[in-house]
Amino acid sequence: MLGFTKKMVVADDERVLLFKHRQFQRVLQPGCHRFFDGFNRLSFDVLKVHRAGVVHEQLDLLLKKPAFPAR
């Protein structure tokens, strides 16, 4: 079963976008996160958080998702 888990460690100056089947699921906050992914369906985008804001190529699309916290 250990081969089916993924571990994501998010630093204080990062946020991670979690995708399943290339569809946005949620934003991971700093800390250690573990996921069961038996079929290798999960993917992650690591974003550096700066005072100037967050830059992502699909930010306009992500802001329309209810799961994306826009602050």
Side-chain angles (χ1 to χ4, degrees):
M1 174 125 75
L2 290 176
F4 296 118
T5 59
K6 288 187 178 177
K7 178 180 175 182
M8 175 58 66
V9 178
V10 183
D12 289 336
D13 66 338
E14 296 176 335
R15 298 301 179 270
V16 174
L17 304 180
L18 170 65
F19 294 88
K20 183 176 182 180
H21 294 288
R22 297 177 55 191
Q23 297 295 313
F24 174 73
Q25 299 297 304
R26 64 184 172 124
V27 177
L28 302 179
Q29 300 296 321
C32 183
H33 306 270
R34 293 181 190 272
F35 302 94
F36 176 77
D37 189 19
F39 297 102
N40 201 28
R41 295 177 177 161
L42 299 179
S43 60
F44 307 90
D45 278 352
V46 178
L47 305 175
K48 287 289 188 182
V49 177
H50 303 282
R51 287 188 178 178
V54 174
V55 177
H56 190 272
E57 60 191 28
Q58 297 177 343
L59 186 59
D60 292 337
L61 182 66
L62 291 170
L63 287 172
K64 295 178 184 177
K65 302 280 187 175
F68 193 83
R71 293 187 215 189

